[in-house]
Structure formats: structure tokens, C-alpha cells
């Protein structure tokens, strides 16, 4: 696991070879779909997006529109009608795959959540397709099992940590913190100046877990093999003095009165607006959300910077990185050749360019030949030094299949003062153990 983690540094993520993608690798599949198209008209593929996130819908529609305009044999239609609630969406995905009701393609997470969908039995294996060779190794490991490879990236990899208000930092003379203690000092100053120190948005419960998840870089920096030990049930959060801090940091944020008054009901867009417009000094968030700021508050896009969740003084500052979501297909799709042709487009420079055109520069692409524009937004530019120095680690969910399904609810409880960080870590360990046992992992 540690070797894989190192691959996620600049060699794997920032140093992609500019070899390009040869779409002819899918020529055989294309002939089949062409024959079908010539006999019966264009093949129509339905892509279930369903996340409810504006930037994700925009991404899917841009990829579909660009692909549709590039040829006449296949028409991709995007269905964004799914529930925005993560738990409801997960259940819907599982049900549709299990009952054979999933459309030709679907949008879903990479990493540990993929394993819960039983991909070996439910998803189309693309491991023999030529375009897979142009995907970053760390990406492939996040969408594969021992039996197959199942998805192509639909966005970019980016950091997870703290969005911060540059105008507030400048007004108060603050420096980007390199330790958690410095972060607390900055937050004290922001709170005392009358601003919200740390915006939270528990109305979208998944956002409550960002501090816990984004703190993983500090765990990895202390022990590069932690993920493999965790998978083998040799370490856990509650008993590890470094890993437990992800939960106790949530406790710090609540107990020090940093939060916005409406944190229990506020939503993602509320948090982004608060940090973009200078109402809040910090908002824990993933890099993909930069695109929403650029779209909804373009005049303030350069007012928001990024830094990783700080660790201790003996830990070199770094950041946890998130792999993007993926495009998958169910194993029983009626049009596997056409699906693979569209996947080949998505996993190509033309596909990356379509995403950039729709969202701007949001992070690091994971496809050979894809490039990020030189004029990147401030948040994306702030990712750069972490990637260049190699001080990055993929989020734990991309290194281990063990992720308890109730982390967001536990994070809401800790972040709301219902329980302390230590008990939150203990509860999450028990939650993760149940999931590991369901997966049949050895050692659990």
C-alpha cells in the first residue's frame, strides 16, 4: 500500500506522459456499434448521473454534448433525476444494479464505496480495452478488483482540506497555518473579529466528515503503511494517537465556538457562499467545489485559497487528495460496444478538454495527454506545491476497502457536540468493522 501511496505523488498525478489517447483502440467496438447504428439508426445510451451536484451534472452534460457532436452513430443522454441525499442514492444504485434496472451507464464514486456495489457481478469489465493503458495507475487501483477494471475518471483529482477567505486573512494579518495549533490561533482571531471562523453545513451531512477524511495525510505522513495495516485490522482510529485527531479536531471546532449559527441546516452552497463572500474564514471542503464558486460567485473566485488540514509541528505540511468520480456501466447493458466507445472518449484529451471547458481548471487529470491550463484558479494553484513536493496521500477510501457507512452521521454528532472525538472514533471503528466483516476481509 505504501508503494501505491507514493505513486499518487507527482510521478503518478503530475508527471503524466504526454502520449495522447488513440481512439482506434476501440475500433472493433466502434464497428459493432456502427453496424447497429446503420441498421437501426443511432444507438441511444442513457447515463444516470443522479448526484444532484451542479458541477457534476454540468460535467456529464458537457461530455455527452461534445461526444454527440463528434459523431453520429451514438447519442448519449444524461439523466440527472436521482436523489441528492448520499444514502438514498447509494441504496438506489445498489437496487438498480441488483434488479437489472440500471441504464446503460452511471456516475458513481471511485474507491471503497465501489466495492459495496459488488462490481465483479454487477458491472461491465473494461480491463481489456486499450484506453485503460492511458489511465494513471493510482486511478486504476481505485476502480478495480482482483477480477476486473470498471470505470474511467470524469473529473480531476484534487486536494481536500480547508478553503479559506484570503481577504479575511489579509485583513487580520494571518499566515497560512502549518500546524493545527496555528490553525486554532487563526480561527480564534477570525472569531474574535466577528466572522464565522469555520463554516459547517450539516444539512448536507456528507460535508461534516471532510475534516476527518482530509486529516488522513497526517496519518500517512506518520506511517506510510497505515492503510495496509488498517485493512488487515492491525490499527484503528480510536487507539492511534495520530489517527484519532481527525475526530478530535472536529470536537475542537465545535467547542471553541467557531461555527455558523445555522450549521445544523446549512447546505453545501451556503458554505461555499460564506467563504467566497467573506462571511466565514474557513470551510472544510474538497477541491471539486472550486468550480461551483467560479460559477456562482465568479467575482470572488480568486478570494478563496486552499490549504491541507494541518498536523503537528513534526509533520511536513501536505494534503489528502481525492480521486474523481467515475463513469461505469452495468454488466447487462444492451450496448456494451457503444458504452466502451463513449468511455474511450471520456478517457482522452478530448474528454478532458470538454470538462475543462465546462468547469475550468479544477485539479489534476488522470489521463495521459490531458493538461491543466496555465491560468489556474487560486484554489487549484494552491494544490500545486503539494503535488510538486510529493506531500500528498490519497484519501483512505482509495487505499483501503474499509469504510464504515455511518461516518457522516458520526461526524455530525461529533461536530455538533453530541459526543466527543474519542467516542466518535470508537463508534466509527465499530462501524468499519461491520463493513469489513461483510466484505469478508481476513483479520476481521
Amino acid at each position: 500500500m505504501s508503494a501505491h501511496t507514493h505513486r499518487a505523488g507527482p510521478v503518478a498525478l503530475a508527471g503524466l506522459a504526454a502520449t495522447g489517447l488513440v481512439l482506434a483502440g476501440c475500433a472493433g467496438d466502434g464497428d459493432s456499434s456502427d453496424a447497429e447504428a446503420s441498421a437501426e439508426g443511432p444507438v441511444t445510451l442513457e447515463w444516470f448521473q443522479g448526484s444532484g451536484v451542479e458541477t457534476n451534472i454540468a460535467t456529464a452534460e458537457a461530455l455527452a454534448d461534445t461526444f454527440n457532436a463528434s459523431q453520429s452513430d451514438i447519442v448519449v443522454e444524461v439523466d440527472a433525476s436521482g436523489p441528492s441525499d448520499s444514502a438514498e442514492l447509494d441504496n438506489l444504485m445498489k437496487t438498480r444494479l441488483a434488479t437489472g434496472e440500471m441504464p446503460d451507464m452511471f456516475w458513481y464514486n471511485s474507491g471503497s464505496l465501489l466495492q459495496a456495489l459488488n462490481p465483479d457481478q454487477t458491472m461491465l469489465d473494461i480491463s481489456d480495452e486499450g484506453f485503460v493503458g492511458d489511465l494513471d495507475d493510482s486511478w486504476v487501483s481505485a476502480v478495480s478488483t482482483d477480477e476486473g477494471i470498471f470505470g474511467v475518471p470524469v473529473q480531476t483529482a484534487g486536494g481536500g482540506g480547508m478553503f479559506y477567505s484570503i481577504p479575511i486573512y489579509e485583513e487580520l494579518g494571518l499566515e497560512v497555518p502549518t500546524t493545527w495549533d496555528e490553525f486554532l490561533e487563526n480561527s480564534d482571531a477570525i472569531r474574535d473579529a466577528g466572522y464565522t471562523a469555520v463554516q459547517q453545513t450539516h444539512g448536507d451531512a456528507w460535508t461534516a466528515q471532510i475534516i476527518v477524511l482530509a486529516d488522513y495525510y497526517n496519518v500517512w505522513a506518520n506511517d506510510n503503511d497505515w492503510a495496509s495495516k488498517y485493512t488487515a485490522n492491525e490499527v484503528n482510529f480510536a487507539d492511534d494517537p495520530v489517527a484519532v485527531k481527525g475526530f478530535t479536531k472536529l470536537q475542537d471546532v465545535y467547542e471553541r465556538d467557531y461555527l455558523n449559527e445555522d450549521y445544523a441546516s446549512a447546505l453545501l452552497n451556503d458554505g461555499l457562499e460564506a467563504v467566497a463572500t467573506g462571511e466565514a474564514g474557513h470551510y472544510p471542503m474538497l477541491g471539486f467545489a472550486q468550480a461551483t464558486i467560479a460559477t456562482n460567485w465568479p467575482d470572488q473566485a480568486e478570494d478563496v485559497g486552499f490549504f491541507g488540514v494541518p498536523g503537528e509541528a513534526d509533520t511536513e505540511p501536505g494534503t489528502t487528495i481525492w480521486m474523481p468520480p467515475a463513469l461505469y456501466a452495468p454488466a447487462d447493458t444492451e450496448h456494451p460496444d457503444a458504452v466502451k466507445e463513449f468511455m474511450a472518449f471520456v478517457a482522452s484529451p478530448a474528454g478532458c478538454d470538454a470538462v475543462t471547458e465546462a468547469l475550468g481548471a479544477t485539479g489534476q487529470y488522470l489521463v495521459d495527454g490531458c493538461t491543466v491550463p496555465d491560468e489556474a484558479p487560486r484554489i487549484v494553484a494552491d494544490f500545486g506545491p503539494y503535488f510538486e513536493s510529493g506531500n500528498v496521500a490519497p484519501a483512505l477510501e482509495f487505499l483501503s476497502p474499509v469504510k464504515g457507512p455511518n461516518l457522516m452521521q458520526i461526524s455530525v454528532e461529533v461536530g455538533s457536540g453530541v459526543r466527543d472525538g474519542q467516542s466518535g472514533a470508537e463508534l466509527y471503528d465499530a462501524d468499519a468493522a461491520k463493513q469489513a466483516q461483510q466484505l469478508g476481509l481476513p483479520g476481521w
Side-chain angles (χ1 to χ4, degrees), residues 155-389:
Q155 290 175 339
T156 59
M162 293 288 177
F163 286 10
Y164 75 98
S165 169
I166 295 172
I168 289 178
Y169 262 59
E170 290 179 344
E171 174 190 335
L172 301 179
L174 304 177
E175 300 288 338
V176 170
T178 59
T179 68
W180 185 248
D181 284 343
E182 290 176 358
F183 173 79
L184 296 178
E185 291 172 1
N186 284 1
S187 297
D188 286 344
I190 294 169
R191 177 202 60 207
D192 294 346
Y195 300 104
T196 295
V198 181
Q199 182 83 12
Q200 287 284 45
T201 51
H202 293 178
D204 281 323
W206 67 267
T207 66
Q209 62 189 331
I210 299 300
I211 289 179
V212 175
L213 297 174
D215 195 52
Y216 180 70
Y217 165 80
N218 297 307
V219 180
W220 170 82
N222 182 69
D223 182 356
N224 289 179
D225 294 325
W226 201 90
S228 59
K229 294 175 183 177
Y230 181 65
T231 304
N233 197 22
E234 296 172 0
V235 296
N236 61 30
F237 282 90
D239 297 328
D240 187 298
V242 178
V244 75
K245 289 185 182 297
F247 291 89
T248 60
K249 287 173 180 176
L250 269 181
Q251 179 181 342
D252 287 342
V253 167
Y254 175 79
E255 291 185 342
R256 296 173 77 104
D257 195 26
Y258 291 160
L259 300 179
N260 44 302
E261 291 184 359
D262 63 345
Y263 73 89
S265 60
L267 303 176
L268 170 65
N269 275 10
D270 299 320
L272 296 174
E273 181 176 18
V275 73
T277 60
E279 295 177 16
H282 304 109
Y283 182 41
M285 187 38 57
L286 307 183
F288 83 90
Q290 182 279 328
T292 301
I293 293 177
T295 299
N296 293 348
W297 304 278
D299 293 341
Q300 286 80 35
E302 293 303 303
D303 289 343
V304 184
F306 171 86
F307 57 83
V309 174
E312 302 303 307
D314 58 352
T315 302
E316 191 170 356
T319 192
T320 304
I321 58 172
W322 263 258
M323 297 296 177
L327 165 66
Y328 302 103
D332 59 358
T333 176
E334 295 181 0
H335 308 292
D337 295 331
V339 165
K340 292 174 183 177
E341 199 164 330
F342 180 59
M343 285 185 168
F345 165 77
V346 173
S348 74
C352 297
D353 289 345
V355 175
T356 300
E357 181 68 23
L359 303 183
T362 60
Q364 187 67 49
Y365 285 107
L366 301 172
V367 178
D368 283 358
C370 293
T371 58
V372 176
D374 291 335
E375 296 300 322
R378 174 61 185 264
I379 290 174
V380 177
D382 285 347
F383 296 157
Y386 296 121
F387 282 101
E388 291 165 8
S389 66

Side-chain angles (χ1 to χ4, degrees), residues 91-178:
N91 289 332
L92 179 61
M93 292 289 189
K94 293 173 184 176
T95 300
R96 286 191 171 184
L97 286 170
T99 59
E101 298 178 347
M102 184 66 77
D104 297 290
M105 303 178 295
F106 62 99
W107 172 300
Y108 195 65
N109 299 295
S110 54
S112 65
L113 292 176
L114 170 64
Q115 306 303 320
L117 298 184
N118 197 15
D120 291 336
Q121 280 69 49
T122 63
M123 295 188 189
L124 183 69
D125 181 9
I126 59 172
S127 55
D128 292 333
E129 301 305 309
F131 60 81
V132 171
D134 295 298
L135 301 176
D136 183 81
D137 287 347
S138 58
W139 165 258
V140 171
S141 70
V143 290
S144 63
T145 67
D146 291 339
E147 303 297 326
I149 301 169
F150 303 99
V152 294
V154 289
Q155 290 175 339
T156 59
M162 293 288 177
F163 286 10
Y164 75 98
S165 169
I166 295 172
I168 289 178
Y169 262 59
E170 290 179 344
E171 174 190 335
L172 301 179
L174 304 177
E175 300 288 338
V176 170
T178 59

